[in-house]
Amino acid sequence: MRILSIQSSVSYGHVGNSAAVFPLQRIGVEVMPIATVCFSNHTGYGSWRGPMLSGDNVREIVTGIEERGGLEGVDAVLSGYQGGDDIGDAILDAVARVKHHSPDAIYACDPVLGNAHSGCFVAPEVQNLIRDRVVPHADLITPNQFELGFITGTSPDTLESTLESVDATQELGPQTVLVTSLQRPDRPEGTIEILAATGKGAWLVQTPHLPFKANGSGDVTAALFTAHFRRSGDAADALARTTSSVFALLERTHASGQRELQLVESQEDYANPSMRFAVTQVR
C-alpha cells in the first residue's frame, strides 16, 4: 500500500506527518510525506520556529514525485490541518493528479476546523474552503463531533442526530465518515465514543475517556483508519483496529506524564492491536 500524505511536519514532538508517518510505516504502508510547514514544534506551545510552505511549494514536490512515476499505484491521499487556502488548493490539485494516475485511489481528509471547547480556530477562508470545496471532493473524512456539525450545519449530540449529520455529510460527497470525540449526553460517565459509517452501515466503539489533551492523536487516528479501511474495505474492522491502537498510545502517553505522544514506544500496538474494545453496529 502507498499513501501520499500532505500535512505539517515538526521536529520536536508528533503532530501532522510527524505523527502519521511512523504508525503507517509500522503497519507496512509506504508513505510519501509532503510537509505543509516545517516547524520546530506544534503551535500549541504558543511559540515555534520554522517556515511555512506555499501551495506552489507543495505543487513542485508533487510534480517531482510525478516525474519519478510515484503517483502510479497510490492507494490514498491523506491530508490534515490546512493553514491557508493556497495549501488547500494545492492539496486538491494533488488529489486530481493522483486520481489521474491511480483511478482507484481515495482522498482521505481530516477536516481540521476546531473543537467543542475552542470553537473554530482556523481562518474564515479556510473554514469555507474545507466545508465548501474540500469535503465534497473527499471520499473519506474524519471530523470530530464539532467539525461534523460545522460541515453540515447541524447539532449532532445524540446518536440519532449524529447519524443524521453523517447522512447529510454523505450527501455532500464523502461516503465514509469517521466521527471522533463523540460525547453523547446519555453515554456512561467517563467514556467517549467513535463512530464509523459507510453506505453499508454504521458502527460505534466506546472507550474510557482519558482526562488529558494529546496533540497529534487525531492525526494518528485518521492515518490508521484510512490505511486499515483502504486495505480491507471493512469499516468495522478498521474501527476496531484503529481504536485499540490509538487508545493504547493515549494510555501510554498519559501514564508517562509527558506532553508529547509516546509514538515510538507504542509501535507494537499499531502492528498488533489488542482488539480490546467491542464494535457495535448501530445501523
Side-chain angles (χ1 to χ4, degrees):
M1 179 179 291
R2 179 184 292 178
I3 290 178
L4 179 69
S5 182
I6 308 175
Q7 302 193 57
S8 58
S9 175
V10 297
S11 295
Y12 178 81
H14 303 289
V15 299
N17 270 336
S18 301
V21 170
F22 177 66
L24 287 173
Q25 291 173 329
R26 191 63 181 80
I27 64 171
V29 176
E30 180 69 37
V31 188
M32 297 181 290
I34 298 178
T36 55
V37 304
C38 293
F39 286 167
S40 55
N41 51 271
H42 68 70
T43 58
Y45 283 97
S47 64
W48 61 92
R49 295 179 183 274
M52 295 182 63
L53 278 73
S54 68
D56 286 341
N57 293 146
V58 171
R59 289 185 181 90
E60 278 293 295
I61 296 170
V62 173
T63 297
I65 296 172
E66 185 176 35
E67 290 170 345
R68 306 283 82 74
L71 299 187
E72 298 176 7
V74 173
D75 295 281
V77 179
L78 176 65
S79 72
Y81 174 74
Q82 298 179 25
D85 54 1
D86 66 327
I87 292 292
D89 288 334
I91 291 172
L92 290 176
D93 288 348
V95 171
R97 289 163 75 174
V98 166
K99 289 192 172 189
H100 173 75
H101 293 281
S102 303
D104 293 332
I106 66 168
Y107 173 32
C109 170
D110 185 7
V112 180
L113 293 162
N115 56 58
H117 300 293
S118 306
C120 278
F121 50 59
V122 299
E125 62 269 21
V126 177
Q127 298 172 27
N128 296 335
L129 171 80
I130 291 176
R131 181 187 58 214
D132 301 333
R133 295 181 53 211
V134 173
V135 167
H137 281 88
D139 302 289
L140 183 163
I141 64 170
T142 61
N144 60 35
Q145 187 175 14
F146 169 83
E147 291 161 344
L148 177 67
F150 183 90
I151 289 167
T152 57
T154 59
S155 300
D157 52 4
T158 65
L159 179 58
E160 292 74 20
S161 62
T162 300
L163 289 170
E164 290 172 359
S165 296
V166 167
D167 290 340
T169 302
Q170 291 172 326
E171 290 176 4
L172 295 173
Q175 295 304 294
T176 303
V177 183
L178 182 74
V179 186
T180 63
S181 302
L182 181 57
Q183 299 187 58
R184 297 182 289 141
D186 58 344
R187 75 191 187 282
E189 185 176 354
T191 64
I192 194 167
E193 295 169 323
I194 183 168
L195 173 81
T198 70
K200 298 179 179 179
W203 297 266
L204 189 72
V205 168
Q206 188 176 91
T207 74
H209 185 196
L210 298 174
F212 79 116
K213 180 180 179 180
N215 294 92
S217 58
D219 302 319
V220 177
T221 301
L224 288 177
F225 183 82
T226 296
H228 288 310
F229 181 66
R230 189 68 182 86
R231 181 173 280 162
S232 70
D234 186 333
D237 179 72
L239 177 62
R241 292 180 181 278
T242 301
T243 302
S244 291
S245 296
V246 174
F247 185 81
L249 168 63
L250 292 173
E251 199 172 38
R252 184 171 287 103
T253 301
H254 187 245
S256 74
Q258 300 296 310
R259 178 170 181 172
E260 295 292 344
L261 291 175
Q262 300 299 288
L263 197 75
V264 175
E265 294 83 350
S266 303
Q267 61 181 289
E268 191 61 26
D269 295 301
Y270 319 137
N272 297 293
S274 61
M275 310 294 280
R276 63 195 280 193
F277 299 110
V279 176
T280 302
Q281 186 162 8
V282 292
R283 184 166 67 184

